[in-house]
Amino acid sequence: MIEGVVNARNEAEITLSVHGPTGRAREVGAVIDTGYSDRLMLPPNIVTDLELPFMGTVHAFLADGSEVTFGTYRVTVLWDGQPIDVEAYESNTTPLVGMALLRGYNLNIDVVNAGRVTIQALQ
């Protein structure tokens, strides 16, 4: 099970361990974004610090209808105790966990200040 907390901005936040190909790792606070359909979004400083390998670019549409281009990078994430390789988008934002990373899991959020966030594998 993965646990987190609702922060002062009413965001469900968890801590992720992200690893680059050279063995460098960082613990990052990531906000769960149920409106983000992909796996993971990381800011440029983490992409650079971990020396993540560039995979290419993708075009996507934001909630406001605007089209943007994201660089994509390969990263290893410790997810529910297991390392998994995922493609992360790079953006000048807080790290985000999207719905594709949550696939196969149950998400529970107690939406109060410092409320409990749990992510548990479906049986």
Side-chain angles (χ1 to χ4, degrees):
M1 178 170 36
I2 300 165
E3 294 186 87
V5 66
V6 174
N7 65 29
R9 293 178 307 278
N10 291 318
E11 299 166 327
E13 188 173 336
I14 60 174
T15 300
L16 289 179
S17 179
V18 291
H19 303 256
T22 63
R24 296 185 81 166
R26 288 203 37 198
E27 300 290 314
V28 297
V31 171
I32 297 168
D33 184 350
T34 60
Y36 173 44
S37 60
D38 222 299
R39 289 178 180 81
L40 186 63
M41 184 131 350
L42 295 172
N45 65 313
I46 294 174
V47 170
T48 300
D49 185 46
L50 297 179
E51 302 175 27
L52 300 180
F54 180 72
M55 305 295 293
T57 59
V58 295
H59 300 282
F61 290 94
L62 301 180
D64 67 2
S66 61
E67 184 176 9
V68 294
T69 301
F70 294 109
T72 61
Y73 296 83
R74 177 67 58 197
V75 64
T76 301
V77 177
L78 191 60
W79 184 254
D80 200 17
Q82 300 297 316
I84 59 169
D85 291 330
V86 300
E87 189 174 288
Y89 293 180
E90 179 185 33
S91 181
N92 288 316
T93 186
T94 299
L96 299 175
V97 169
M99 293 299 286
L101 195 54
L102 294 166
R103 187 168 186 80
Y105 284 79
N106 177 277
L107 169 64
N108 285 296
I109 305 170
D110 296 333
V111 186
V112 295
N113 191 34
R116 186 174 184 212
V117 176
T118 58
I119 302 168
Q120 190 166 2
L122 294 172
Q123 301 301 337

